[in-house]
Amino acid sequence: MSFARVRALVVVGVLAVAAIVFVITALVRDSQGGAASGEDCPAGSALADVTLPDDPAEVTVKVYNGTNTAGLADSVTNEFKNRRFTVQKPAESKTKFKGVALIRFGPDSVGRAQLLRAYFLAQSKMEYNAKRKGTLIDIVIGSQFRQLATTTEVNQSLVEVGEPTLPPGSCIKPAVKKKDENS
């Protein structure tokens, strides 16, 4: 073997060892693991559920008509019902909304609200309230609303908006393990 080859093998070996040491050091000193699992959460912070639901039936919505169009909340509620969402009786909003839709939600429904946002092609206004309890999501339909997105459009919109993000002042709610159906 020539001296040049030996020198090249030594350099490659040193680089490989340095890379291994670097990776191990990065993994050992990683300080983000606790934040992702909900550890080290300041007292009084809301624990937010950021998981996207597997089935629309897991999402409960109440639709409000924020326009002058009669029956709009009824028709949108029926659209959500036809798409297998759990719906409550629609109502009239006390105030009018000029946008596409206003989605009001709390810490227990951050991931569910992200799914609903996709049905409005990410053109809805999101309104988070840390003090809100339960998983019910209020949707105020605005004057710029035309129709809910199709299944294909929803899937594309979910890819574009990405994973749900933690609202300010909240921590990730620890995942609840589902019980095995056989036990």
Side-chain angles (χ1 to χ4, degrees):
M1 215 187 288
S2 70
F3 179 70
R5 279 193 180 168
V6 170
R7 185 175 46 186
L9 287 174
V10 169
V11 169
V12 169
V14 168
L15 289 175
V17 169
I20 291 171
V21 169
F22 178 75
V23 168
I24 290 173
T25 304
L27 290 174
V28 168
R29 293 186 179 182
D30 181 22
S31 62
Q32 298 177 10
S37 64
E39 298 171 6
D40 300 330
C41 188
S45 295
L47 295 177
D49 183 0
V50 295
T51 55
L52 284 170
D54 294 327
D55 185 7
E58 298 174 28
V59 182
T60 304
V61 296
K62 180 166 183 146
V63 179
Y64 293 87
N65 186 356
T67 70
N68 292 326
T69 307
L72 183 59
D74 289 325
S75 66
V76 174
T77 298
N78 285 334
E79 285 289 323
F80 277 119
K81 189 175 182 180
N82 291 340
R83 294 165 194 231
R84 298 186 24 236
F85 284 87
T86 304
V87 296
Q88 290 189 351
K89 185 178 178 187
E92 290 294 318
S93 176
K94 294 177 184 172
T95 58
K96 301 301 177 201
F97 185 68
K98 293 186 179 180
V100 174
L102 172 64
I103 300 175
R104 294 182 182 138
F105 60 100
D108 292 331
S109 54
V110 174
R112 291 171 172 95
Q114 183 83 335
L115 174 64
L116 287 170
R117 182 177 180 210
Y119 278 87
F120 296 100
L121 300 177
Q123 295 176 356
S124 57
K125 180 180 176 194
M126 305 293 278
E127 189 175 282
Y128 172 75
N129 180 350
K131 294 183 180 3
R132 187 176 177 135
K133 301 293 181 201
T135 59
L136 175 67
I137 299 174
D138 293 336
I139 301 173
V140 179
I141 301 298
S143 58
Q144 294 179 5
F145 173 78
R146 298 295 167 249
Q147 67 182 26
L148 292 178
T150 65
T151 304
T152 302
E153 291 170 333
V154 168
N155 291 336
Q156 291 171 343
S157 183
L158 279 172
V159 170
E160 288 176 21
V161 298
E163 291 291 321
T165 56
L166 273 177
S170 64
C171 297
I172 293 178
K173 186 176 192 174
V176 178
K177 294 181 180 179
K178 294 181 180 179
K179 291 183 179 180
D180 188 10
E181 293 176 11
N182 296 330
S183 52

